[in-house]
Amino acid sequence: AGSGHPHRFALQSQGEGFAIDLEVESRKPPVVHGVGGVSKKGEPDRETSHYYSLTRLSTTGTVQVEDVWLPVEGESWMDHEFGSADLAENLVGWDWFSIQLANGREIMAYWLREADGTFAPASSGTIVNPDGSSHSLTRGDMEVAVEQFWTSSRSGARYPNQWQFAIPSRQITLRLVPRMADQELVTERSTGVTYWEGAVDVTGTWQGRDIEGRGYVELTGYAEPYRPGS
């Protein structure tokens, strides 16, 4: 629910043995991804979305686990994406990175994955500067290499589980390492999709200087091709 400020929110949720009560406030204006406000998800014009993020949210509040309330503080990231169609037929899923770096910058990278494991030309990204201005990235601007994999004992899916990510033209090289290997979600009682989504630690270099940060990765289409509602 809103709390009188356009980019300040009160978030509450609870379930069996778990609850959150958080206040979040954006340090930067919304970032609109894509070119001209359009984020492509395929080659035809109909395979597009509108996609914006609040990439640096100051966050405080409490998390309840069973009978224990834990005070928490940190930084969050909010995404909102809505589109005109599902993924292109040749795509089976995506690998999505959100990265908050200690130099006040953020990176979003959206890798659209084809059946043979390669990434489609429509894959894209965004760099967000400390002042909130941003720069769009194309598939050709970005490089990614998987350094380790993890196989789920529940679904049998084999997920990438450590990455080397680079933007050569900007002299950025980063390593993303999950905080724990098993962050798979099996959502039989909601969306029915099995995917990997979780926290990563980030280290590397930015224009020759050491950098660190944190991030979040979402991997879909590894247990089965991503087809919502199927």
Side-chain angles (χ1 to χ4, degrees):
S3 54
H5 186 285
H7 302 139
R8 183 185 301 143
F9 307 92
L11 307 177
Q12 292 94 25
S13 180
Q14 63 182 36
E16 185 176 346
F18 180 82
I20 61 171
D21 186 352
L22 304 174
E23 294 279 345
V24 299
E25 183 172 356
S26 184
R27 297 185 186 176
K28 299 182 180 182
V31 175
V32 178
H33 303 289
V35 177
V38 175
S39 179
K40 297 194 68 176
K41 299 297 180 286
E43 292 310 307
D45 289 342
R46 68 178 180 275
E47 293 166 354
T48 60
S49 72
H50 295 295
Y51 174 21
Y52 70 90
S53 302
L54 299 173
T55 60
R56 189 79 66 156
L57 291 157
S58 297
T59 303
T60 58
T62 56
V63 172
Q64 179 190 4
V65 181
E66 300 300 340
D67 295 327
V68 179
W69 285 90
L70 304 169
V72 295
E73 62 178 67
E75 294 177 325
S76 305
W77 177 302
M78 189 283 288
D79 267 1
H80 185 195
E81 183 172 16
F82 49 99
S84 56
D86 292 332
L87 294 178
E89 285 297 321
N90 62 311
L91 301 176
V92 298
W94 62 79
D95 298 14
W96 175 81
F97 299 167
S98 65
I99 300 169
Q100 295 172 325
L101 294 168
N103 63 4
R105 293 174 170 86
E106 296 86 45
I107 299 173
M108 184 281 295
Y110 202 139
W111 303 91
L112 298 165
R113 201 174 64 258
E114 299 185 358
D116 63 0
T118 59
F119 294 118
S123 302
S124 61
T126 307
I127 293 178
V128 184
N129 297 315
D131 64 1
S133 62
S134 62
H135 303 280
S136 295
L137 301 169
T138 67
R139 168 68 184 88
D141 293 325
M142 306 182 295
E143 297 178 357
V144 66
V146 178
E147 297 184 330
Q148 291 186 21
F149 290 86
W150 173 78
T151 300
S152 167
S153 60
R154 291 184 299 275
S155 67
R158 184 173 184 257
Y159 297 98
N161 209 242
Q162 182 170 305
W163 303 263
Q164 184 89 5
F165 171 63
I167 307 172
S169 64
R170 295 179 178 268
Q171 302 175 47
I172 302 167
T173 300
L174 304 172
R175 175 171 281 108
L176 283 63
V177 180
R179 293 191 173 181
M180 59 183 182
D182 186 356
Q183 299 186 72
E184 184 184 46
L185 299 175
V186 181
T187 63
E188 294 175 347
R189 294 192 295 173
S190 56
T191 64
V193 178
T194 296
Y195 63 108
W196 193 100
E197 181 177 88
V200 298
D201 290 318
V202 181
T203 56
T205 58
W206 184 292
Q207 298 179 357
R209 296 185 176 183
D210 290 344
I211 191 67
E212 61 182 22
R214 68 195 77 183
Y216 203 73
V217 171
E218 183 180 73
L219 308 171
T220 70
Y222 285 93
E224 66 277 322
Y226 180 80
R227 293 291 179 262
S230 60

